Structure formats: C-alpha cells, structure tokens
Amino acid sequence: MLHSIRHGAPTKKPPLLIVHGLFGSARNWNVIARHLAASRQVVAVDMRNHGSSPWFDSNGYADMAADLAEVIGDVPHDVLGHSMGGKAAMVLALTEPAHLRRLIVADIAPVAYGHTQAHLIAAMRDVDLSAVTRRSDAAAQLDDVSDTSTRAFLLQSLDVKARRWTLNLDVLEREMPKIVGFPEIEGRFEGAALFLSGGASDYVRPAHRDRIKALFPAARFAKIPDAGHWLHAEKPREFEATVEAYLDA
C-alpha cells in the first residue's frame, strides 16, 4: 500500500485523491490539500519509488494505476494527477473506471514525450551525501541544475539526517522510457474529465486534443493564465479555485 496523507474528515462529497508527478511527494501538496479539505476529505499519496512508499523494480503506469486502485478501495474517489501522476490517473480511469467519479489531469496528455529527466537523476546521484549536513550543502553541489525552483523541488526529496534521497533513482532512471511514454490502451473513460493546463506550458498542445477526446470523450479543457508546467505551485489559489469549481459543478 502506498504511503498516504489524509486531510480532513469524510463528508458527503467524494474523497479527492491527489497524485504527484515525477520526483514529487504527497508533502509537496500539503497546502493545497489542506485548503481543498475544507469541504471534502483529501488523500495525497507518495507514488511507488517516491517518498515514504515502498520501492519496487518497476515504475510503469499499469503498476502505478494498480497502486492507486488499492488506495481507493471500494469507495469511488475524484482523482487529481499532475504530470506522471496525471498519466497514472488516466490509466486508472481507462482500466478501472469504477474507482473514479471525476478525473482532473494537470498539464499532461496521454501521449509519449520526447524529453527525459535522466539529467536530473544524474545531478542528484552526483551529490556527495557524505558531505551533507544541511540541505544547503546539497544545493551547492547541484551545479548542473541551473533553475533554482527545480533545485529546490529536488531537495524536498533529500533526507538530510539519513543522508539519502527518498527516490529510487536506479529504477526511475531505468524506467524513464515508460514514464515519459504512455501505454497502448483500448479502453475509454466515459466519465467527467478536466484537462487543466498552464497557459505558458506546451505539455498539452492542440494536436493532442483528438487523442484526448478519443480516450476521454467527455473531456473539457481549461488553462490557468501565465502558469507553466508546475501550475499548482506557480498559481496555487487559481489552481484550487478551478479544481473546486469543477468538482462541485
């Protein structure tokens, strides 16, 4: 079972499951989850090979979707997934639709992407953890990560006391083709689905819409202006308002 953080008590509204992206964790979503938990219970998970969840030899989307189904159990949830988590949520919806009421996919499409995040794994692996006594020591060694926000994001997965990354870097590197890809699936999810993108992001393009509609015929599309791929971190209040309005519609 994945490690999870529960916010708020059950209400008459369906619980909301939040699924983070690559190198993320449930803790990254604490503030947003607490705000959304004002009207419904919110469950944020650490995905396999991330955070406090178990490490496995695989990190494919069928496995990740099965993990989410186990967390959800017999009570259908609304599911919100960002990036890798959005792909896992889509695979869950396509293969086990009875587990979902509504689906929100944040800034990702059901397609294979040409980029890789292996360079970030290499940067984390190059940190001499024996010389780290505080997070800033590791930050100073992440020279190959020029973007300060990306560096800060990666450092959230550093356990300074244990001098270890809470990420299974070996498996994530080996499984990167699966993570940036998307499996061939014949199913369709007929339920409500919102594809919420950052207005300044190019992850969800007009060319992807036919593929999205083929798999999610009820899909709706929305954008948060001036937000990039990390739309929930860059525009958290706008993100929360959009999610709440959609779930309560």
Side-chain angles (χ1 to χ4, degrees):
M1 178 73 76
L2 299 180
H3 173 259
S4 62
I5 301 174
R6 295 183 180 271
H7 302 265
T11 70
K12 293 181 179 179
K13 296 180 179 180
L16 173 65
L17 178 66
I18 296 180
V19 192
H20 66 77
L22 182 62
F23 307 139
S25 71
R27 291 189 303 114
N28 297 155
W29 289 81
N30 274 350
V31 174
I32 287 175
R34 283 198 296 266
H35 289 170
L36 293 175
S39 60
R40 73 191 77 238
Q41 187 173 60
V42 177
V43 182
V45 295
D46 286 339
M47 296 295 277
R48 58 172 48 211
N49 298 312
H50 291 73
S52 298
S53 281
W55 285 14
F56 297 94
D57 289 334
S58 65
N59 213 82
Y61 286 111
D63 296 318
M64 287 188 268
D67 293 340
L68 298 179
E70 185 180 21
V71 173
I72 290 172
D74 296 329
V75 178
H77 284 43
D78 293 325
V79 179
L80 161 62
H82 171 251
S83 200
M84 180 191 78
K87 286 187 173 182
M90 284 188 277
V91 172
L92 174 66
L94 293 168
T95 57
E96 300 193 57
H99 282 88
L100 287 83
R101 188 190 74 124
R102 293 193 169 204
L103 171 68
I104 301 176
V105 180
D107 211 63
I108 202 73
V111 299
Y113 289 82
H115 64 259
T116 177
Q117 303 298 336
H119 64 289
L120 297 179
I121 292 177
M124 286 184 277
R125 193 178 275 132
D126 284 345
V127 173
D128 179 5
L129 295 174
S130 67
V132 171
T133 58
R134 57 179 65 86
R135 209 169 295 274
S136 59
D137 295 333
Q141 295 188 54
L142 288 172
D143 296 331
D144 292 339
V145 184
S146 58
D147 181 69
T148 56
S149 60
T150 300
R151 192 183 309 127
F153 170 67
L154 296 178
L155 289 169
Q156 292 181 50
S157 291
L158 177 64
D159 183 338
V160 175
K161 185 176 180 179
R163 293 182 176 178
R164 62 182 287 268
W165 295 101
T166 60
L167 301 165
N168 190 342
L169 297 178
D170 291 343
V171 168
L172 294 177
E173 181 179 49
R174 189 176 69 240
E175 296 281 84
M176 190 63 67
K178 293 180 183 178
I179 294 170
V180 300
F182 193 79
E184 289 295 329
I185 297 179
E186 298 295 330
R188 283 158 55 102
F189 178 67
E190 304 287 348
L194 174 66
F195 284 75
L196 179 59
S197 306
S201 171
D202 64 353
Y203 272 69
V204 182
R205 303 173 183 174
H208 297 152
R209 290 204 173 196
D210 286 347
R211 175 64 174 162
I212 292 170
K213 294 293 283 187
L215 297 175
F216 304 92
R220 295 170 55 189
F221 299 88
K223 290 187 177 182
I224 295 181
D226 302 319
H229 182 58
W230 302 96
L231 64 173
H232 58 291
E234 296 172 23
K235 300 284 185 177
R237 303 294 83 81
E238 294 90 335
F239 183 86
E240 290 166 10
T242 304
V243 168
E244 284 187 316
Y246 181 71
L247 294 181
D248 290 341

